[in-house]
Amino acid sequence: MKKRLLTISATIFACGLNVLGQDAVRSVDASQQWYLNAGESTYVVGINERHMLQSLYWGPALPADARLPQAHSSGEWASFDTPANTTALEYPAWGEGLFAEPALKVDSPNGDRTLVLVYESAKVSKSELEIVLHDTVQPIKVHLFYEVFPQGILSRWSRIENAGSQTFVVEQAASAVWNLPAAEDYSLSWLTGQWAGEWQLHSELIQAGSHVMESRRGSTGHQANPWFAIGREHATTEDNGPVWFGELGWSGSWRMNVEGTSQNKVRVTAGYNPFDFAYVLEPGKSLETPKFYAGYTSHGQGEASRILHRFQLAEILPTHPNPKPRPVIYNSWEATEFAVNEAGQISLAEKAAKLGVERFVVDDGWFGQRLTDKAGLGDWYVNKTKFPNGLKPLIDRVHALGMDFGLWVEPEMVNPDSDLYRAHPDWAMHFPDRNRTEARNQLVLNLAREDVKEYVFNFLDRLVTENDIAFLKWDYNRNWSEPGWSEASGSANGSAEVAKQKEIYVRYVENLYDILAKLRAKHPKLEIESCSGGSGRVDLGILRYTDEVWTSDNTDALDRLAIQYGFTHAYAPETMAAWVTDVPNFLNRRSIPLQFRFLSAMQGALGIGGNLNKWTTDDMALATKLTAFYKDIRTTVQHGNLYRLQSPLKSESSHVEYVAQDGSQAVLFSYLRSQHFGMALPKVQLKGLEPKASYQVRALDAGKYKGEAVVSGAVLMGEGINLGLAGDYDSTAVVLERLETRR
């Protein structure tokens, strides 16, 4: 397994290098242009006659000797659309008659609220480019950063610098603006949701006007995710056609604006959400924006997803560029809820070990006076009534059973009924004289405060140091309200005093990242899951510090097919935690067979969350068989190329295929929700195989596979596989092992 994993990691890293075939960043000094080559795409910027930086090209890879015409502003379209609006500016500031979405807006001490950014300098270093712009009047500089990745991704971000002697206030700051070539038939895809209904995929034709996706919640949010994909209405499909795609790496309030102009141009602007936002720039200080990652492919939505998956494995996740397969976990929440104790957890651990589980996780209820969700948050000491001798006896038993140990925490929250809140009520976000809005009986700690940051890090460090903990399920169960921070104003006065408090939107998330980074550095074997009542905090910012995310509190196996379908458009299966839980499901009251529940959860990082005390002997036997089956295919599932063969949103059946990076193995999952009129399931045509190779077919259910034991890739992709699924909630899986060609 280790040798194969190293091969896969090397393949992930190398993917795209051969496609580049030229320097990642190339400068053409004569025309002041810069060519950035990422995978199968090229991105070009240049300086126009007004000394402003504009986007010149974003699309299929250009040859190494390609030269584009000199950058030139678009000119005025009547007096109502000045060049600031009609030119594809790379980073437009609000000024000089700009009415489009600005990337930057700054208040100056003299009341001037505009900027006009012109070119100052550029620096090329390997796969990176830095371009410096400055305002024509005020001492404001903007550093634009570009980084090219071989998987086909270009990362962009900005740093706004105060080079003067007076204080400025930033009111709006985007990471980047992406300009697409003019066309009339662009189609936007995006993801929305709610608690227990995340990752719903939408698409619509882009027309004149703005489509805004955002979170004002202090975190990424369930309601929208900072991901976009833009294709051509009649040309782009899952497998073919152009796609421009990207996602913002930020775990706080964010906004993404997709604007269609009257000239049939499209620009995508994203960064900090300007709502209730401000950042004080004192002399010599700067503000750096989150990274905005984007790419282009001519091979459809499926390839756009696979590029993002490979990039996340190779460049983003904490274990990059050698991603570790996620272990099979058991979580005790559904079995015990808050009624945890040493004997009960040991009993569950013994049952879980028999299934082949590799990690045992104790959920909420082990600490403080945590008998319900109304008390105890913030008091991170082991409850002596539930665990008289601490956690060590349980952890020792879990280890003796061959599993490692994990624990649930919610570090950023506090119950008003807690020792912590009684000692430090000022640590919770609040406005003076305003009632504090509770949600789930809890308040949000102001992590922007250094004393709160220190407290959170210290108790987590102590918890992990004193106990052999391999995994933290880090929860975050509400959004912000009353985001006050009166202590931040310091010596500031007037409008700067209020603006200083609004830095909470940046400082909080920066401190969160710092805690996670320090914790992982001190405990390098520790792994962390980002959980927020499901997918309330999933983005490429938090994934730099966490190994996986909790996809949804909705574990209904049928709903999960749709949820996971949307999730994989933006994020890698390795990061997608998925549990097998009991039926009838708590949310929909739906009862689905155990095998269907397992195969649904196998699309990502498999976990088991049912009450094992109630499982029958047959349930345990089937679960043991399916867990062993998953372990044999999980590297392909978690690190391979994903093909969404048939959407669960459009048919009674759905199919998902994974192909190992080295092509040695492929896995097909097939699901039939409901059969009608006795009609047989159509054959399933596979993708991503080698047409001339032969594959050994190994069916999970021998009676459901209707075909030969050895089949060529051409037949599997052309004619397809015949599966005998029937009735309601039937499912199966097929494994294909590539046979070595005899010479």
Side-chain angles (χ1 to χ4, degrees):
M1 175 65 76
K2 184 176 290 185
K3 181 178 180 181
R4 182 179 175 191
L5 180 58
L6 291 173
T7 302
I8 291 172
S9 300
T11 304
I12 292 171
F13 179 77
C15 183
L17 287 176
N18 292 332
V19 180
L20 282 173
Q22 53 182 303
D23 293 338
V25 182
R26 177 167 55 92
S27 175
V28 181
D29 296 333
S31 55
Q32 287 190 300
Q33 293 179 352
W34 294 269
Y35 293 69
L36 298 100
N37 301 292
E40 60 175 286
S41 68
T42 298
Y43 188 86
V44 186
V45 296
I47 307 300
N48 65 28
E49 79 286 357
R50 301 175 64 238
H51 308 292
M52 304 183 84
L53 183 67
Q54 69 182 78
S55 172
L56 298 179
Y57 179 86
W58 187 21
L62 297 175
D65 59 352
R67 297 290 186 273
L68 295 179
Q70 184 77 35
H72 191 81
S73 62
S74 298
E76 181 178 293
W77 180 260
S79 58
F80 302 98
D81 275 312
T82 63
N85 296 283
T86 59
T87 304
L89 294 177
E90 185 73 350
Y91 197 82
W94 188 63
E96 217 176 32
L98 179 74
F99 301 109
E101 180 76 4
L104 182 63
K105 185 177 184 298
V106 176
D107 278 0
S108 302
N110 66 356
D112 179 7
R113 303 192 303 279
T114 63
L115 294 172
V116 178
L117 300 176
V118 296
Y119 174 74
E120 178 175 302
S121 64
K123 181 170 63 176
V124 175
S125 175
K126 295 182 179 179
S127 60
E128 299 178 5
L129 169 65
E130 178 186 356
I131 296 179
V132 181
L133 310 177
H134 70 266
D135 181 55
T136 55
V137 174
Q138 302 290 355
I140 294 292
K141 292 187 177 184
V142 177
H143 301 252
L144 301 181
F145 298 96
Y146 304 75
E147 185 174 7
V148 176
F149 294 93
Q151 297 80 22
I153 295 294
L154 175 61
S155 173
R156 292 177 55 192
W157 70 102
S158 61
R159 187 173 75 234
I160 299 101
E161 175 190 354
N162 179 0
S165 58
Q166 293 182 291
T167 297
F168 292 78
V169 176
V170 179
E171 289 190 332
Q172 187 166 345
S175 300
V177 178
W178 300 94
N179 291 277
L180 277 67
E184 297 180 353
D185 63 342
Y186 283 123
S187 177
L188 171 68
S189 296
W190 74 102
L191 293 160
T192 68
Q194 60 181 5
W195 175 81
E198 303 93 325
W199 307 107
Q200 303 305 302
L201 183 68
H202 304 270
S203 296
E204 71 176 14
L205 186 68
I206 297 177
Q207 302 185 52
S210 291
H211 182 114
V212 177
M213 300 164 279
E214 66 174 353
S215 171
R216 301 180 178 185
R217 299 167 178 268
S219 60
T220 324
H222 297 75
Q223 288 68 23
N225 192 265
W227 167 89
F228 77 93
I230 297 175
R232 305 296 288 269
E233 182 74 7
H234 301 295
T236 302
T237 66
E238 179 73 11
D239 302 307
N240 296 291
V243 184
W244 294 260
F245 58 93
E247 49 195 340
L248 185 68
W250 182 243
S251 307
S253 294
W254 59 274
R255 186 169 76 172
M256 184 177 294
N257 186 84
V258 181
E259 185 175 7
T261 75
S262 54
Q263 291 87 26
N264 295 319
K265 296 178 181 178
V266 171
R267 56 171 68 97
V268 182
T269 307
Y272 297 125
N273 194 319
F275 177 80
D276 195 42
F277 174 87
Y279 198 94
V280 176
L281 276 188
E282 296 173 348
K285 300 297 184 179
S286 61
L287 169 65
E288 189 158 296
T289 62
K291 292 185 176 181
F292 194 179
Y293 304 91
Y296 167 86
T297 179
S298 58
H299 302 295
Q301 295 279 9
E303 184 61 18
S305 299
R306 290 186 287 274
I307 290 171
L308 285 172
H309 298 171
R310 291 191 289 264
F311 169 69
Q312 291 160 21
L313 294 172
E315 305 288 350
I316 295 292
L317 294 179
T319 56
H320 77 274
N322 299 306
K324 294 170 56 180
R326 306 303 304 143
V328 178
I329 74 155
Y330 177 77
N331 183 289
S332 65
W333 171 251
E334 289 202 1
T336 60
E337 295 192 351
F338 294 103
V340 297
N341 57 60
E342 182 180 307
Q345 295 298 298
I346 287 176
S347 177
L348 286 167
E350 290 170 345
K351 293 179 176 67
K354 293 177 181 178
L355 301 180
V357 166
E358 298 159 312
R359 173 170 290 164
F360 183 83
V361 182
V362 176
D363 211 279
D364 198 352
W366 59 269
F367 58 92
Q369 299 306 307
R370 189 71 165 170
L371 304 179
T372 69
D373 64 4
K374 296 181 179 179
L377 272 181
D379 301 337
W380 298 103
Y381 59 87
V382 178
N383 184 295
K384 290 296 184 180
T385 302
K386 299 179 180 183
F387 297 93
N389 301 302
L391 294 173
K392 189 175 187 303
L394 170 60
I395 295 174
D396 288 346
R397 181 58 181 149
V398 167
H399 289 166
L401 291 166
M403 300 179 291
D404 64 30
F405 182 78
L407 202 60
W408 180 95
V409 292
E410 192 168 6
E412 301 159 75
M413 302 291 167
V414 63
N415 286 128
D417 185 4
S418 67
D419 295 340
L420 179 67
Y421 186 78
R422 285 184 282 271
H424 298 285
D426 55 317
W427 281 11
M429 290 184 187
H430 67 281
F431 287 128
D433 307 319
R434 181 71 62 183
N435 288 335
R436 304 181 185 198
T437 303
E438 293 183 27
R440 199 177 180 258
N441 308 301
Q442 61 195 53
L443 302 171
V444 183
L445 291 173
N446 184 2
L447 206 61
R449 293 177 54 137
E450 290 302 310
D451 49 1
V452 176
K453 171 187 171 182
E454 182 179 9
Y455 169 78
V456 170
F457 172 77
N458 285 339
F459 89 69
L460 289 169
D461 176 43
R462 184 171 60 252
L463 182 66
V464 178
T465 299
E466 295 176 354
N467 300 279
D468 192 350
I469 296 173
F471 175 79
L472 292 176
K473 184 178 175 70
W474 184 304
D475 217 337
Y476 176 90
N477 274 311
R478 62 158 294 180
N479 297 133
W480 294 12
S481 58
E482 299 86 42
W485 187 18
S486 58
E487 298 84 0
S489 56
S491 60
N493 53 64
S495 60
E497 179 181 2
V498 176
K500 194 73 176 173
Q501 295 185 43
K502 294 180 180 180
E503 291 182 15
I504 190 172
Y505 291 100
V506 176
R507 301 289 189 186
Y508 183 106
V509 180
E510 288 180 340
N511 280 356
L512 170 64
Y513 290 163
D514 192 50
I515 290 170
L516 289 165
K518 288 170 61 179
L519 197 62
R520 297 198 69 123
K522 189 170 182 181
H523 306 279
K525 295 182 180 180
L526 179 67
E527 296 180 347
I528 302 173
E529 174 184 285
S530 174
C531 175
S532 177
S535 286
R537 190 157 64 190
V538 178
D539 55 80
L540 293 190
I542 202 72
L543 280 171
R544 285 195 170 276
Y545 308 97
T546 59
D547 303 86
E548 65 185 35
V549 298
W550 181 227
T551 319
S552 178
D553 279 352
N554 183 352
T555 57
D556 175 83
L558 183 59
D559 281 356
R560 268 304 185 106
L561 294 183
I563 288 170
Q564 294 168 180
Y565 175 81
F567 180 95
T568 60
H569 279 75
Y571 300 100
E574 157 131 339
T575 68
M576 185 171 68
W579 290 1
V580 178
T581 57
D582 291 337
V583 293
N585 180 266
F586 81 96
L587 189 67
N588 295 324
R589 309 309 300 168
R590 183 183 288 126
S591 292
I592 293 177
L594 186 60
Q595 178 161 306
F596 193 109
R597 283 179 272 152
F598 258 92
L599 294 184
S600 174
M602 284 186 198
Q603 288 188 12
L606 176 65
I608 300 171
N611 185 353
L612 300 183
N613 295 321
K614 296 182 178 180
W615 283 27
T616 67
T617 302
D618 288 345
D619 289 339
M620 295 292 286
L622 179 57
T624 302
K625 170 189 171 184
L626 293 173
T627 300
F629 175 79
Y630 177 74
K631 290 179 180 179
D632 189 47
I633 63 171
R634 71 170 149 196
T635 301
T636 296
V637 169
Q638 295 181 18
H639 298 165
N641 288 315
L642 168 66
Y643 295 88
R644 296 180 290 261
L645 302 182
Q646 185 162 302
S647 166
L649 309 177
K650 299 178 179 179
S651 174
E652 293 288 351
S653 61
S654 62
H655 314 281
V656 177
E657 180 194 4
Y658 303 80
V659 180
Q661 290 286 345
D662 63 2
S664 62
Q665 186 183 74
V667 183
L668 170 67
F669 294 122
S670 290
Y671 313 88
L672 178 63
R673 179 171 58 189
S674 182
Q675 186 180 28
H676 296 282
F677 311 116
M679 298 293 290
L681 188 74
K683 290 183 178 180
V684 183
Q685 293 175 307
L686 304 186
K687 297 176 183 176
L689 305 179
E690 298 175 29
K692 296 182 179 180
S694 294
Y695 292 84
Q696 181 79 44
V697 181
R698 176 162 53 93
L700 175 63
D701 307 292
K704 293 179 181 178
Y705 170 64
K706 312 294 184 181
E708 302 295 329
V710 177
V711 189
S712 74
V715 170
L716 291 167
M717 292 189 291
E719 183 182 9
I721 285 182
N722 189 6
L723 298 173
L725 299 185
D728 295 338
Y729 303 123
D730 200 3
S731 62
T732 194
V734 176
V735 181
L736 308 169
E737 304 285 357
R738 186 185 61 197
L739 300 176
E740 295 298 327
T741 303
R742 292 182 179 178
R743 297 183 182 276

